[in-house]
Amino acid sequence: MIPRVARYRILPDRSRVWIEARSNVHPIHSSTEGLEGYIDIDLDGDGRLAGDAKPEARLSLAVSRLQSGNRLEDRELQKRIDARRYPTIVGTLDQMVSSGIDGSYVVSGEITFRGVARPHEDRMTLESLDEGRIQLAGSSRFDIRDFGMEPPRVLMLRVEPEVDVRVEIVAEKEG
């Protein structure tokens, strides 16, 4: 039997990224919509991963969308990221395996930030919202130094190198 892989287009206005960082002065929070991309996946009647088809996905986020609400911190962040040279953060998914917990999967792929690509693996949940929409959600911790970025410093503010990133992705079946 040939797997029936369907393409789901990420809905930018329904998908969200939260970034939490720590500094010596205060926590730094950023939240934004605007994820773009697709997920190619074969689901069974219960909304679980099915078949022999290998799921694939590509998503991107414009770096300009990353804002904490503090203009000075945001300007320094854009400078450190070198946003003009590296305008997007890109993630690809090339493997998705059941974790043994209903609706939870171990996903792996690659994250490209500031032109540096790194393999990454973590857990995500997959939920069928209705006949034509799915939601994936997960969180990970990253050390920005792994991507060649030194933590921002603004006056007396020193940002820690590890950041927590959480995503909720809503995608709609094409066609």
Side-chain angles (χ1 to χ4, degrees):
M1 182 170 141
I2 298 171
R4 298 171 320 201
V5 174
R7 174 155 289 188
Y8 289 80
R9 182 74 44 202
I10 295 172
L11 301 175
D13 61 330
R14 300 275 320 270
S15 301
R16 206 157 187 80
V17 176
W18 292 266
I19 299 174
E20 304 289 329
R22 291 161 296 288
S23 76
N24 63 327
V25 177
H26 58 77
I28 299 169
H29 309 283
S30 178
S31 172
T32 188
E33 297 174 335
L35 275 171
E36 297 180 351
Y38 65 88
I39 302 159
D40 291 339
I41 194 166
D42 181 21
L43 301 177
D44 67 15
D46 294 325
R48 293 188 190 97
L49 190 60
D52 296 329
K54 185 177 164 184
E56 293 182 12
R58 184 179 193 286
L59 58 102
S60 64
L61 179 69
V63 169
S64 62
R65 291 184 159 280
L66 299 176
Q67 297 178 1
S68 67
N70 181 312
R71 294 169 109 193
L72 189 59
E73 289 174 10
D74 293 343
R75 190 169 37 244
E76 179 64 15
L77 176 64
Q78 295 291 317
K79 186 173 105 181
R80 294 281 175 148
I81 291 174
D82 196 359
R84 288 182 187 181
R85 190 166 164 201
Y86 306 109
T88 57
I89 301 168
V90 176
T92 59
L93 172 122
D94 57 24
Q95 189 170 3
M96 190 170 181
V97 179
S98 176
S99 69
I101 300 168
D102 196 29
S104 176
Y105 298 86
V106 176
V107 298
S108 59
E110 190 172 79
I111 305 290
T112 303
F113 176 60
R114 297 187 71 247
V116 177
R118 294 279 182 252
H120 189 71
E121 180 178 284
D122 219 319
R123 290 182 189 257
M124 290 192 90
T125 59
L126 169 64
E127 179 183 355
S128 181
L129 299 177
D130 56 36
E131 190 67 28
R133 291 180 306 142
I134 59 173
Q135 177 175 302
L136 290 104
S139 60
S140 290
R141 178 168 284 175
F142 296 94
D143 187 326
I144 61 174
R145 297 172 297 190
D146 292 341
F147 296 92
M149 181 176 163
E150 285 304 311
R153 289 179 159 227
V154 180
L155 304 173
M156 299 298 289
L157 178 77
R158 286 187 319 272
V159 178
E160 297 296 320
E162 290 188 333
V163 297
D164 294 316
V165 178
R166 182 169 59 100
V167 297
E168 284 183 6
I169 302 165
V170 177
E172 187 170 60
K173 193 176 200 176
E174 288 187 345

